[in-house]
C-alpha cells in the first residue's frame, strides 16, 4: 500500500510539473531512473535524443519540434491527468549515464514504459520502442503509435497552434502576386494568348515525349555505348533499349520534319516571287525526303527485320 501510494504521489508530482512546463519534462539520469523504476501505475513516454550541434544528429533536431507538439497537445487535452501518461525528454548531455547503461549508439530513440501495477498493468512491463528507420516522423504518427499502446478510452488529439508568421507570409505573397498581375496584365495577357507561342510549346513537348524523353528518366539509360569495335553506338537495337543521344537525334529528326512541313504548308504559299517559291518547294521537299530517309534507316537499326528503305540512307 505504501509503495502504491508513493507511485501515485510520484505521478501527481511530475504531472504538476508537466502541466506547468507546457512541454515534455526535461529529464536527467536521476529523474529518468525515478520515473521509469518499478512499480509504477502510470505510463511514461521518453525521447532519448542528442540536440547539441557537436553530436551531429540532424534527425534529433528535426524531430524535436514534432515531439514538443505531441507534449503540448497532451497537456492541453489532459490537464486533470485522466490518462496517466507523462512525456519527457532525456538529452545525451544530461543523461550520459543512461545512454551508457542502455548501450545506445544512435539517437533519437522513443521509449514507452507501460504501467507495471494497477488495473492497466501489462504482464510484460518492458519498454516499447518507436522505429525511426524511415527518418523524421510527424507528431500525428507518433501520437497514433502511443495511443495504440494505451488502454482504450478518449485521448487528447494533436493540436497545432496557428503559425501567424506563415499566415502573414502567405498573405503578403498572395497580395504581392495579385498586385503584380494587375499591373503587368496588359503586357502578360497578349503573350499568354499568343497562338504561335502555345503552338511552339506544344510542338516542343510533343517532340520530347514522342522521342522517348520520359523513357530515359525512368530507365536511367546511358548517353551512348561502345560498339565492341572501339567505336560508339548512337542507337540501341530493339524497341526496349534506348540511349540518351538517340533520343536527341530522333527529336531533331522529328523537329526538322515538322518545321519543313510547316514551311511547305504556311510559308511557301505566301511567297510572291514564283521563282523563289519554286526553289523553296524543292529545298523543303528535299529536306523532308532526306530526313524521312534517315528516319527509316534509324527504324531499321531498331527493327533488324524491317525490309524497306528509302535512298540515300
Amino acid at each position: 500500500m505504501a509503495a502504491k501510494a508513493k507511485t501515485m504521489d510520484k505521478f501527481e508530482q511530475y504531472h504538476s510539473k508537466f502541466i506547468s512546463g507546457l512541454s515534455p519534462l526535461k529529464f536527467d539520469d536521476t529523474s529518468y531512473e525515478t520515473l521509469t523504476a518499478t512499480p509504477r501505475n502510470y505510463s511514461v513516454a521518453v525521447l532519448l535524443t542528442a540536440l547539441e550541434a557537436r553530436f551531429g544528429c540532424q534527425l534529433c533536431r528535426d524531430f524535436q519540434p514534432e515531439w514538443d507538439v505531441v507534449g503540448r497537445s497532451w497537456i492541453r487535452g489532459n490537464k486533470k491527468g485522466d490518462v496517466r501518461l507523462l512525456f519527457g525528454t532525456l538529452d545525451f548531455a544530461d543523461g550520459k549515464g543512461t545512454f551508457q547503461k542502455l548501450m545506445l549508439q544512435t539517437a533519437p530513440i522513443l521509449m514507452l514504459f507501460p504501467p507495471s501495477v494497477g488495473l492497466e498493468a501489462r504482464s510484460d512491463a518492458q519498454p516499447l520502442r518507436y522505429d525511426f528507420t524511415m527518418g523524421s516522423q510527424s507528431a500525428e504518427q507518433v501520437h497514433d503509435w502511443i495511443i495504440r499502446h494505451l488502454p482504450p478510452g478518449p485521448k487528447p488529439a494533436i493540436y497545432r497552434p496557428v503559425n501567424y508568421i506563415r499566415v502573414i507570409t502567405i498573405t503578403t505573397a498572395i497580395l504581392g502576386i495579385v498586385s503584380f498581375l494587375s499591373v503587368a496584365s496588359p503586357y502578360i495577357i497578349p503573350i499568354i494568348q499568343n497562338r504561335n507561342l502555345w503552338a511552339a510549346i506544344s510542338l516542343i513537348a510533343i517532340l520530347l515525349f514522342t522521342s522517348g524523353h520520359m523513357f530515359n528518366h525512368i530507365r536511367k539509360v546511358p548517353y551512348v555505348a561502345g560498339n565492341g569495335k572501339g567505336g560508339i553506338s548512337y542507337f540501341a537495337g530493339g524497341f526496349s533499349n534506348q540511349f540518351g543521344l538517340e533520343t536527341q537525334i530522333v527529336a531533331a529528326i522529328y523537329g526538322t520534319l515538322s518545321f519543313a512541313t510547316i514551311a511547305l504548308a504556311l510559308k511557301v504559299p505566301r511567297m510572291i516571287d514564283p521563282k523563289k517559291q519554286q526553289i523553296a518547294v524543292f529545298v523543303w521537299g528535299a529536306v523532308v525526303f532526306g530526313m524521312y530517309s534517315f528516319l527509316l534507316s534509324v527504324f531499321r537499326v531498331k527493327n533488324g527485320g524491317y525490309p524497306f528503305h528509302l535512298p540515300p540512307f
Side-chain angles (χ1 to χ4, degrees), residues 41-64:
N41 61 351
Y42 55 86
S43 301
V44 189
V46 185
L47 176 67
L48 296 101
T49 186
L51 295 174
E52 293 186 14
R54 61 194 173 104
F55 300 128
C57 182
Q58 185 61 42
L59 180 57
C60 298
R61 293 191 289 272
D62 291 343
F63 178 66
Q64 190 61 38

Side-chain angles (χ1 to χ4, degrees), residues 134-184:
M134 300 301 292
S136 185
Q137 304 292 303
S138 68
E140 288 77 10
Q141 289 172 304
V142 173
H143 176 267
D144 291 343
W145 178 79
I146 290 174
I147 63 175
R148 196 162 59 242
H149 293 94
L150 293 177
K155 307 292 188 302
I158 287 294
Y159 170 76
R160 291 185 181 272
V162 178
N163 189 338
Y164 292 102
I165 295 177
R166 185 179 181 185
V167 171
I168 293 171
T169 302
I170 293 174
T171 305
T172 304
I174 291 173
L175 291 175
I177 292 171
V178 170
S179 301
F180 171 77
L181 291 177
S182 62
V183 173

Side-chain angles (χ1 to χ4, degrees), residues 263-264 267-286:
L264 282 170
K267 299 296 182 183
V268 174
R270 296 176 184 175
M271 290 183 174
I272 299 174
D273 190 338
K275 245 185 176 180
K276 290 182 178 179
Q277 189 181 57
Q278 190 176 26
I279 293 172
V281 169
F282 281 116
V283 170
W284 287 118

Side-chain angles (χ1 to χ4, degrees), residues 118-136:
L119 297 175
E120 299 172 356
R122 291 193 175 195
S123 56
D124 182 10
Q126 292 300 312
L128 305 168
R129 285 197 182 192
Y130 185 75
D131 187 10
F132 280 95
T133 55
M134 300 301 292
S136 185

